[in-house]
Amino acid sequence: APGWRDGARVLTVALGILQCCGWLSGQTLRTSVGMNGEGPEHSPMSLERVKRGWVWNQFFVVEEYTGTEPLYVGKIHSDSDDGDGSIKYTISGEGAGTIFIIDEVTGDIHATERLDREEKAFYTLRAQARDRQMDAPLEPESEFVIKVQDINDSEPKFLEGPYIGSVAELSPIGSSVMKVMASDADDPTYGSSARIVYSVLDGERFFSVDRQTGVIRTAVADLDRETQDRYELVVKATDMAGQMGGLSGSTTVTIVITDVNDNPPRFPQKMYQFSVSEGAAVETAVGRVIATDADMGENTDMSYLIKDEEGGELFKVSTDGDTQEAVITIKKPLDFESKRSHNVVVEAVNKHVDPRFVDMGSFRDQTIVRVSVSDVDEAPIFIPSSDTIMEVQEDARLGALVGIVTARDPDMDNVPVRFSIDRNTDQEQIFNIDPVTGAITLGKILDRETAGWHNITVTAMEADNTSMASQTAVSIRILDVNDNPPELATPYEASICEDAKPGQLIHTISVVDRDEPQSGHRFYFTLAPEASNNRHFTLWDIKDNTAGIRTQRSGFNRQEQNVYLLPILVVDSGPPALSSTGTLTIQVCGCDTDGAIQSCNTTAYVMSAALSPGALIALLVCILILIVLVLLILTLKRHRKGQRMSEDEEDMRDNVIKYNDEGGGEQDTQAYDMSALRSLYDFPEVKNSDSGPDLRSVPQWIQNRVSGDGGPADFSLFNGYIRKKVEQADADLSVPPYDSFQTYAFEGTSSPALSLSSIRTLSTTSEQDFSYLSDWGPRFRQLAGYYAPAQPEEEGS
């Protein structure tokens, strides 16, 4: 280092001398050229081009100077300086006056401090030449740079270390592992101070590094993770391109060898032995085996399978995802009596096979698992093992055989078996079983219509060990026997109109039968013998187990007969054939023109003269109840009618009836309903007597009119008209047979009353003036005439 510093000093001095020589050799060239090419004396204007040594680019100073005296940097000089000290030189800018000082007289610049290029590579300053007396600038201010000259004082450094890389095992020679990079703080543009080369100090047997790029590569092809899974390298970086005197730095590189699937699975043993009871349930684990694999990670994932056919029928194998073990479980029940030992061949196979290493050998291995079956005392087994279905006729006698169940002891001893019925499934004890033979017999009479199926449970147990028992379900189907007659589905009722036409379909009936013959139901319909000769209705068998009722004639009269009871005989197809008789009730009703039923009477008429006493009694009771209801209704109606008549009379005496419908005059008899008025005047004919007419039932205003001027009123015309209408209504058979309200719109020839209007009264001297009615227009002209003031001659007449 001292020798290098001496050399730097010499170089600095030499550079300073060269710079001073350049300044001293500067000359000033003045040239005057006229505008017209003449001499200066003839030119009105001249240009001067002056060459001076006043403009500088840069100075150089060596870094890390350790001398005691200030280090000479350079010199500034003006051509106008004659050396008499009349010019003063100054500098300003970065480090002026502190790091760099200048001699005001000579212009020499010195560095007073030790400089470090790695901290600051150059300084920018400005130089000025002034007249010492006038302090006026003699030269323009000139900018220059002092550059710090680099020396090799910084060693290479690995800033990103420590480094960790990886490479797959068995990679070929020259496989790239990773790249390392060192940096040098020296100036890369000057000399070789920053030119770095790389080398391996430790681990060069397995890895190499590129001198220029720092890329680490494998040096061998047999890197085996199973032998060594990581390597530690020391990589060195040297500057000065590796020459003598260069500085260096090093770092540690860790290289991890990653796994590849280059090892097959291997069973540690070639045979494993396990024992299991023959009573073990399906899915019970027999044992576990595992194959080892020198690889790691997913390369150790493996699957197991059973290779032999016999073992695959009784056992199955699965892989435990956490432990990678093979779990052997029971697939079907084992039987010690059939076979006491089973050999199962289990094979382990890698799931992820690398095709690059297939040639290295088979990536699978096999082992034998021997399973010994131990004997246990087993419960009896039924033959067949599934549920049993038996059949028996519902008319079977007591003690009849239903069926036989069979069971045996599966053990080698073959102990006798005893049978019994679980009475929780046969609480009525309908069936019995022979404990030795297993024969099931009837204990009670059966009825299929009550229960068509019976499900019982039969228990079989060893004769000397009742704890060894098993059960099976026995379903007993009761076969049908035709022992129930068919019946009409419901108490059918039908209605017909009085004007029904022949052949009209009245109703469709269906039948129910509690029996269920195997060939299906088939019913036959016909009228009962007592109704076969009727001339009102016919029965039509539709052939789909239904029948239709049709009319045989036209014109039914409710007055003559409003209810028909039609007995129908239904026969099933047996065997034996059974029958029953049902009754269809047909009511004759009044209908409108569209055929809609309006009303029906409920008086029953039995077509059959041969009714049972019970039916007659029921019919009489119904008729009696109807008569009582009718009497109650009539009594209530009369009571209400009396109350209504008393209310009407009170209204006639005490209330004013408003009737303000104008109408159309004498010729209009249909424009309004006068029944409201005429209902008030239902009184008998006026009789002549010595004391005058009886006017007690006549309204008061009529009595006044009769007694006032002109004798009794003649109502005989109205009485005759109303009497005639009443006789016509009574003789009309088409109207309902009960009271009805009749409207008689007969006006008559004249009226004893002066007016029917509620506006005008009997008094001719009204204080109200109705003259304004003539102003209401043509529609009220006739009304205005009625209320016009009477003329004197009219009043007199």
Side-chain angles (χ1 to χ4, degrees):
W4 169 250
R5 293 191 183 95
D6 294 341
R9 292 173 184 170
V10 173
L11 178 61
T12 302
V13 172
L15 291 173
I17 293 173
L18 291 176
Q19 184 70 30
C20 293
C21 291
W23 289 336
L24 295 175
S25 62
Q27 297 180 0
T28 302
L29 178 62
R30 301 175 182 270
T31 304
S32 299
V33 181
M35 300 258 323
N36 299 323
E38 301 178 355
E41 63 276 8
H42 300 288
S43 174
M45 184 177 180
S46 63
L47 298 176
E48 293 184 356
R49 186 176 64 184
V50 180
K51 182 177 180 182
R52 299 177 180 272
W54 177 245
V55 180
W56 302 271
N57 288 330
Q58 60 184 1
F59 293 108
F60 294 92
V61 60
V62 179
E63 66 170 335
E64 304 293 345
Y65 172 69
T66 58
T68 58
E69 298 295 331
L71 178 63
Y72 178 76
V73 177
K75 181 182 182 67
I76 60 174
H77 180 73
S78 174
D79 290 347
S80 58
D81 188 0
D82 295 332
D84 55 1
S86 60
I87 296 178
K88 181 176 68 173
Y89 297 98
T90 61
I91 58 175
S92 61
E94 296 178 335
T98 56
I99 300 176
F100 302 103
I101 59 175
I102 187 171
D103 190 323
E104 296 182 348
V105 177
T106 62
D108 294 333
I109 300 174
H110 292 80
T112 61
E113 296 182 6
R114 179 180 177 181
L115 302 179
D116 187 0
R117 191 201 66 82
E118 285 72 32
E119 293 182 1
K120 190 170 181 62
F122 62 90
Y123 298 86
T124 302
L125 296 93
R126 293 177 296 280
Q128 181 70 56
R130 293 179 174 273
D131 184 274
R132 188 179 295 276
Q133 297 295 330
M134 304 297 295
D135 197 25
L138 299 178
E139 302 286 354
E141 190 176 52
S142 177
E143 185 178 276
F144 64 95
V145 174
I146 298 177
K147 187 174 182 181
V148 182
Q149 190 71 42
D150 180 57
I151 63 174
N152 189 20
D153 59 344
S154 298
E155 71 276 5
K157 295 180 180 180
F158 292 92
L159 302 179
E160 298 178 2
Y163 294 90
I164 299 177
S166 63
V167 64
E169 61 176 329
L170 302 180
S171 296
I173 297 176
S175 298
S176 176
V177 179
M178 62 180 301
K179 181 179 181 179
V180 295
M181 181 177 292
S183 60
D184 196 323
D186 292 326
D187 189 359
T189 63
Y190 180 76
S192 300
S193 299
R195 292 181 60 188
I196 300 174
V197 294
Y198 301 94
S199 60
V200 177
L201 294 182
D202 188 9
E204 66 274 8
R205 175 186 169 187
F206 304 100
F207 300 94
S208 63
V209 63
D210 189 285
R211 286 176 55 84
Q212 304 299 327
T213 63
V215 176
I216 299 175
R217 302 180 184 276
T218 57
V220 294
D222 57 351
L223 294 175
D224 187 8
R225 187 202 63 82
E226 289 74 30
T227 302
Q228 184 175 349
D229 60 353
R230 65 178 54 224
Y231 294 87
E232 300 288 342
L233 302 182
V234 177
V235 179
K236 183 177 72 171
T238 306
D239 60 9
M240 297 297 293
Q243 299 177 4
M244 293 294 294
L247 305 179
S248 63
S250 61
T251 186
T252 300
V253 178
T254 301
I255 300 178
V256 178
I257 308 302
T258 60
D259 184 63
V260 297
N261 193 10
D262 58 337
N263 294 281
R266 291 289 181 262
F267 283 104
Q269 301 174 211
K270 289 303 178 182
M271 177 175 288
Y272 296 86
Q273 291 188 356
F274 300 100
S275 177
V276 64
S277 171
E278 67 169 333
V282 175
E283 301 294 337
T284 300
V286 175
R288 291 172 174 250
V289 297
I290 187 171
T292 59
D293 193 328
D295 297 320
M296 63 181 299
E298 67 174 10
N299 293 325
T300 62
D301 293 345
M302 62 187 72
S303 59
Y304 299 91
L305 62 152
I306 296 178
K307 293 298 291 182
D308 61 312
E309 183 176 352
E310 179 185 357
E313 183 178 355
L314 297 176
F315 303 92
K316 65 179 181 179
V317 64
S318 59
T319 304
D320 189 325
D322 297 330
T323 63
Q324 292 296 309
E325 291 178 310
V327 183
I328 296 97
T329 57
I330 299 175
K331 185 176 180 181
K332 289 184 179 181
L334 303 177
D335 187 10
F336 171 81
E337 289 73 25
S338 299
K339 191 171 183 179
R340 303 184 181 184
S341 178
H342 302 273
N343 291 329
V344 183
V345 179
V346 178
E347 183 177 71
V349 182
N350 268 140
K351 288 184 178 180
H352 311 286
V353 178
D354 195 329
R356 296 177 298 173
F357 309 109
V358 174
D359 297 338
M360 297 178 62
S362 176
F363 281 80
R364 58 183 64 211
D365 194 21
Q366 293 181 351
T367 188
I368 297 175
V369 177
R370 176 169 293 175
V371 181
S372 299
V373 181
S374 59
D375 186 29
V376 294
D377 190 6
E378 299 175 84
I381 59 174
F382 285 92
I383 302 172
S385 59
S386 59
D387 296 342
T388 304
I389 298 178
M390 300 179 181
E391 295 180 346
V392 61
Q393 294 282 344
E394 68 172 319
D395 59 348
R397 67 184 185 280
L398 290 177
L401 179 64
V402 177
I404 299 175
V405 293
T406 304
R408 66 174 182 85
D409 182 13
D411 297 321
M412 297 293 291
D413 298 337
N414 195 14
V415 177
V417 177
R418 298 294 179 260
F419 301 94
S420 64
I421 294 177
D422 186 355
R423 289 305 174 184
N424 291 325
T425 61
D426 186 23
Q427 296 181 356
E428 299 180 3
Q429 298 185 3
I430 300 175
F431 303 97
N432 297 320
I433 189 170
D434 189 298
V436 177
T437 63
I440 299 175
T441 57
L442 282 181
K444 288 185 178 181
I445 298 299
L446 301 174
D447 184 13
R448 191 205 63 81
E449 287 69 35
T450 303
W453 284 84
H454 293 274
N455 298 315
I456 63 175
T457 300
V458 176
T459 303
M461 64 187 70
E462 294 182 1
D464 57 354
N465 186 4
T466 58
S467 62
M468 290 290 100
S470 59
Q471 292 183 331
T472 186
V474 178
S475 299
I476 302 174
R477 179 183 180 185
I478 311 303
L479 300 179
D480 183 56
V481 174
N482 192 24
D483 56 350
N484 292 279
E487 299 175 352
L488 294 182
T490 59
Y492 286 105
E493 293 184 358
S495 301
I496 61 172
C497 296
E498 288 183 305
D499 56 352
K501 297 179 175 54
Q504 180 177 337
L505 180 63
I506 300 175
H507 204 69
T508 302
I509 61 175
S510 59
V511 178
V512 294
D513 194 333
R514 297 176 62 189
D515 295 322
E516 291 183 0
Q518 296 182 358
S519 59
H521 286 292
R522 179 69 181 95
F523 302 109
Y524 305 93
F525 300 86
T526 182
L527 293 177
E530 59 269 21
S532 59
N533 296 325
N534 83 91
R535 52 188 179 82
H536 306 291
F537 306 100
T538 58
L539 182 66
W540 172 42
D541 192 345
I542 305 179
K543 303 300 184 182
D544 61 350
N545 292 336
T546 60
I549 309 300
R550 291 181 173 179
T551 58
Q552 193 173 359
R553 67 180 181 87
S554 62
F556 292 86
N557 192 340
R558 286 183 298 164
Q559 302 298 332
E560 298 176 359
Q561 182 177 346
N562 62 348
V563 176
Y564 294 88
L565 300 179
L566 188 63
I568 300 173
L569 179 64
V570 184
V571 184
D572 61 16
S573 56
L578 301 178
S579 63
S580 67
T581 301
T583 301
L584 172 65
T585 303
I586 304 174
Q587 292 187 357
V588 181
C589 303
C591 305
D592 57 12
T593 56
D594 297 329
I597 296 176
Q598 299 296 320
S599 63
C600 300
N601 291 335
T602 57
T603 304
Y605 175 83
V606 182
M607 291 186 61
S608 173
L611 291 178
S612 62
L616 268 177
I617 293 173
L619 186 59
L620 291 175
V621 171
C622 293
I623 293 174
L624 182 59
I625 293 174
L626 290 175
I627 291 173
V628 172
L629 290 176
V630 170
L631 291 176
L632 288 175
I633 292 171
L634 291 177
T635 304
L636 291 175
K637 283 187 176 181
R638 288 181 180 179
H639 180 66
R640 293 180 180 175
K641 185 175 181 182
Q643 290 181 349
R644 191 178 298 110
M645 289 178 62
S646 62
E647 293 174 358
D648 292 344
E649 291 176 359
E650 182 179 356
D651 290 342
M652 285 168 32
R653 291 193 304 268
D654 299 334
N655 296 320
V656 176
I657 301 303
K658 293 185 178 181
Y659 192 79
N660 52 7
D661 193 353
E662 180 181 352
E666 295 289 338
Q667 291 76 20
D668 187 3
T669 61
Q670 302 295 332
Y672 56 93
D673 185 9
M674 297 190 61
S675 59
L677 290 177
R678 290 173 179 156
S679 63
L680 299 176
Y681 310 135
D682 188 10
F683 46 85
E685 296 181 1
V686 180
K687 299 181 181 179
N688 295 328
S689 64
D690 297 339
S691 61
D694 185 5
L695 302 177
R696 287 176 297 175
S697 59
V698 182
Q700 187 64 35
W701 62 274
I702 295 294
Q703 297 179 23
N704 295 337
R705 180 66 174 174
V706 171
S707 61
D709 50 59
D714 184 10
F715 293 101
S716 60
L717 181 62
F718 291 101
N719 290 337
Y721 176 77
I722 292 174
R723 187 179 301 109
K724 182 180 179 179
K725 289 295 184 180
V726 171
E727 292 175 355
Q728 291 178 359
D730 291 341
D732 189 0
L733 299 179
S734 63
V735 299
Y738 42 77
D739 294 341
S740 63
F741 183 79
Q742 299 292 332
T743 301
Y744 306 116
F746 180 65
E747 184 176 355
T749 57
S750 62
S751 174
L754 296 179
S755 175
L756 294 177
S757 174
S758 62
I759 299 177
R760 186 167 182 175
T761 63
L762 293 176
S763 176
T764 59
T765 60
S766 176
E767 297 178 358
Q768 186 174 1
D769 185 8
F770 295 98
S771 60
Y772 60 87
L773 294 175
S774 60
D775 299 331
W776 284 8
R779 294 186 178 182
F780 297 90
R781 185 174 301 154
Q782 187 174 358
L783 184 61
Y786 292 155
Y787 290 91
Q791 299 298 329
E793 58 273 18
E794 294 178 357
E795 293 179 0
S797 61

